[in-house]
Amino acid sequence: GDRSWQGLLVAFGQIFLDMASRVHESAALDVPLDKVWAAVKSLTFPFWSIVKEVKSEGGATEVGSFRTLKFKDGTVQKIKMLELSEVEHFVTYELIESDPPAPALSAIHTIKVRPVTKTNTSFVEWISDFSMDAGQAVVQDCRFKQLEAFSDLEKSVK
């Protein structure tokens, strides 16, 4: 009876609390999908001006592979590719390690590229889900960096 509904609501509430903050930014880029997807799918971020160096462990598009990103500010982060679709043009990754420590315990990011067929351009989305310990500063920093990355991406693949 009522107990099963209570259990379901508690379980749903826990899932909601575990991923409490979402950043969802998007941009229309004046570049064809194939060029944008080629720059995004390997998670090496060759376009992003804040990334200094990337070391890969595993195949370029291998689910389960890792990237160690060294940023120009000295931050080093290790990410794991969780999912990649060549059909739907999206890649999902999780932050595994960070030095200095990341301000959120958990962060999962998805970058999606969609074609704008009328103009042979691209629509790009970057969705980041953070655990509930992520404060507003983390969310705003993520939003700013995603928008900056879109600008860098468009310039680098044109």
Side-chain angles (χ1 to χ4, degrees), residues 53 67-71 73-78 95 97-102:
E53 182 184 340
R67 310 286 177 272
T68 300
L69 309 171
K70 292 183 181 178
F71 293 88
D73 70 357
T75 301
V76 177
Q77 293 186 335
K78 187 171 187 175
L95 178 62
E97 298 172 8
S98 183
D99 182 21

Side-chain angles (χ1 to χ4, degrees), residues 3-20 132:
R3 294 180 70 83
S4 62
W5 278 106
Q6 288 175 334
L8 183 61
L9 289 173
V10 168
F12 179 75
Q14 186 60 45
I15 291 167
F16 181 75
L17 289 175
D18 286 346
M19 287 297 181
M132 119 176 228

